[in-house]
Amino acid sequence: MTTSVGTATTLDCAGLTVLIAGTTAASRRTVRRYSAGGATVRRIATPEQFHPRLLDAVSLAVVVDGPSTDGPFTDGTLIRHDDGGPVSGDSWALLREACRERRILTSSEEPATGGGRVTLIGGGPGVEDLLTVRAKQALREADVVLYDRLGPYRTLAQLAPGAELIDVGKTPGHHPVSQTDIEKLMVAKAREGRHVVRLKGGDPFVFGRGGEEVNTCAAEGIPVTTVPGISSSIAVPAAAGIPVTYRGVAHAFTVISGHQPLTEQELEALVKLGGTIVVLMGIGTLPQLTSGLRRAGLASSVPVAIVEKGYSPDQRTTVTNLGEAVTAAGLARCTSPAVVVIGEVVRQHRDFSSTLEQVLTHPMVAS
C-alpha cells in the first residue's frame, strides 16, 4: 500500500479491508480515496458504533475525526471497555486500543472541509507538475471536478481520487456544454453539499471566464475561492525559449484574445504601445490580426512564433515573420491550442538565428 497520511494522492489497496471511523461528512474524502484504491471499506460514524468484531479481517483503521470530546462524552465520564477498564480522553480510544491489541495499523487524517462550495483552479499550461501546491490540495478534497481540455485532466483520477469527473471542455467552434450550463451545473453540485472544483487551463482570470463564474456563485450564495495558475501567455513562450520581455528589446507585453478580431482603433493602439504581443486562442483569427497589424504600421519583417501544445510531448514552434505568418501556419498545419508571439523577443528562440534566412525563402520552420 502506498500512502502518506493526510496527503495521499495515490493508493493501491486492492484486497485490503479498511475500517474508516468518522462522520459521513468528515470522512467522505477518505472513504472515496480508499475505495478508489481498491480497498473494501467498512465505516462507523460514531464511537458508540464500534465493536471489536468490526476489526475482523481489517488491515488498517483510519480515524478521521481525531481526538474529540463531542457527542455523549462531553460530561467528563470515561469510556470503558467491556471488561470495565477505563480509557480516558480520546473518543476513539476503544478502537485504537483494540487495534493495538490485534496489531492492526492505525492512522489519523484531518476531516474533509465543509461541502457546498466551489474552488476555481488555474491548471497552468496543462501538465500536472506545474500545478500549485494549493491546487493539488483542493483537488484532493474535491467531490466533483468540472474540467476542460487545457487543464491537466489526464491524471485527474490520481489528483482527485474517487471524485466525480465531468468533462465540460470546449474546442474551437464546438461547445457541447455551454458556459451557462457549466455555471448551472457548478451551482447545482455545490447545493448538494459537495466541494466542486472547476479546473481550467492557465489562470481562471486570464480569458478563463473566472470572473463570470465567481459572480454566478456569489449571486447564488455559494462560497467560492480561487487558486491562481501559471498563465499560458507567459509559460508557453517560455517553453519555447522565448521571454515575453527582454532588457533593451521589449519592456512591456500585451496579452490579447484571438477569439474575435480587434478593431482598427485597438490595432493602432497596440502598434503604438510597442513591446511584445502575445495572442491566446489566435489560430482562427490569425489572418485578420496579421493584416490588421500591418495596416496599423507594424513592419512585415517583425518576427512571429507560433507555439503549439506547450509543455506536451507534441510541443512545436513555427518561426516566421508577420508578413509570412499565415502562409507559414498553413504549411505547418498549425492547430489549437497554440500561443502566438509577435515581436523582437522571438529572436531569442534557440533556433532563430539559424532559421531566419530559411524563413524568408520557405516560411515554415518548426521545432
Side-chain angles (χ1 to χ4, degrees):
M1 177 176 65
T2 302
T3 179
S4 174
V5 175
T7 59
T9 56
T10 302
L11 293 170
D12 182 6
C13 308
L16 300 182
T17 298
V18 178
L19 176 66
I20 298 177
T23 64
T24 300
S27 63
R28 70 180 190 276
R29 182 182 63 195
T30 306
V31 170
R32 191 171 62 236
R33 190 170 68 250
Y34 280 95
S35 297
T40 298
V41 172
R42 296 178 185 170
R43 288 195 59 251
I44 52 173
T46 67
E48 296 172 297
Q49 296 175 346
F50 174 68
H51 191 280
R53 66 172 177 269
L54 292 173
L55 294 176
D56 292 348
V58 166
S59 304
L60 170 69
V62 183
V63 176
V64 178
D65 302 65
S68 173
T69 57
D70 294 342
F73 309 107
T74 56
D75 59 0
T77 59
L78 300 178
I79 309 169
R80 295 186 178 275
H81 288 300
D82 291 342
D83 62 4
V87 182
S88 178
D90 181 4
S91 298
W92 294 102
L94 283 174
L95 168 61
R96 296 182 197 275
E97 183 163 323
C99 287
R100 282 195 296 270
E101 291 174 354
R102 297 186 180 211
R103 298 184 179 275
I104 295 172
L105 178 67
T106 62
S107 69
S108 297
E109 294 191 9
E110 294 182 0
T113 52
R117 63 194 181 99
V118 170
T119 303
L120 305 182
I121 292 180
V127 289
E128 179 188 337
D129 56 1
L130 288 180
L131 280 170
T132 65
V133 172
R134 186 174 295 185
K136 288 186 175 182
Q137 179 181 359
L139 284 167
R140 284 196 299 270
E141 296 177 351
D143 299 309
V144 182
V145 181
L146 309 181
Y147 67 94
D148 60 44
R149 70 189 183 103
L150 297 181
Y153 66 89
R154 293 174 181 83
T155 57
L156 273 180
Q158 289 76 45
L159 292 169
E164 180 182 3
L165 307 179
I166 303 175
D167 183 358
V168 294
K170 306 178 182 71
T171 56
H174 181 58
H175 298 176
V177 184
S178 70
Q179 181 63 28
T180 299
D181 288 338
I182 291 173
E183 292 170 15
K184 287 180 179 178
L185 182 61
M186 185 172 61
V187 169
K189 295 292 185 181
R191 280 182 172 162
E192 294 173 2
R194 306 168 82 180
H195 177 198
V196 181
V197 166
R198 176 73 174 99
L199 177 63
K200 303 168 175 292
D203 182 272
F205 290 164
V206 181
F207 305 131
R209 294 190 167 182
E212 297 173 37
E213 294 176 358
V214 166
N215 288 339
T216 295
C217 290
E220 298 292 338
I222 304 295
V224 58
T225 57
T226 302
V227 179
I230 303 172
S231 175
S232 297
S233 61
I234 301 170
V236 171
I242 301 172
V244 293
T245 63
Y246 197 91
R247 186 170 59 175
V249 177
H251 65 274
F253 67 98
T254 304
V255 182
I256 64 175
S257 167
H259 270 158
Q260 295 181 339
L262 300 180
T263 66
E264 293 298 319
Q265 292 79 8
E266 289 171 332
L267 290 164
E268 290 172 4
L270 199 56
V271 171
K272 288 180 181 178
L273 180 63
T276 305
I277 301 171
V278 181
V279 190
L280 304 184
M281 305 163 289
I283 294 297
T285 56
L286 189 63
Q288 294 94 325
L289 177 64
T290 54
S291 61
L293 289 173
R294 291 165 63 193
R295 286 196 307 273
L298 199 61
S300 297
S301 59
V302 169
V304 173
I306 303 169
V307 187
E308 300 170 81
K309 301 177 177 63
Y311 287 96
S312 78
D314 300 320
Q315 177 179 316
R316 183 176 68 155
T317 304
T318 300
V319 180
T320 179
N321 58 44
L322 192 65
E324 302 288 350
V326 174
T327 301
L331 289 172
R333 297 183 179 180
C334 294
T335 59
S336 297
V339 174
V340 180
V341 186
I342 303 171
E344 293 300 317
V345 293
V346 172
R347 298 182 188 277
Q348 302 303 318
H349 178 62
R350 61 185 179 277
D351 295 327
F352 185 85
S353 59
S354 63
T355 60
L356 181 58
E357 185 175 343
Q358 298 177 53
V359 169
L360 299 177
T361 57
H362 188 282
M364 190 280 287
V365 177
S367 63

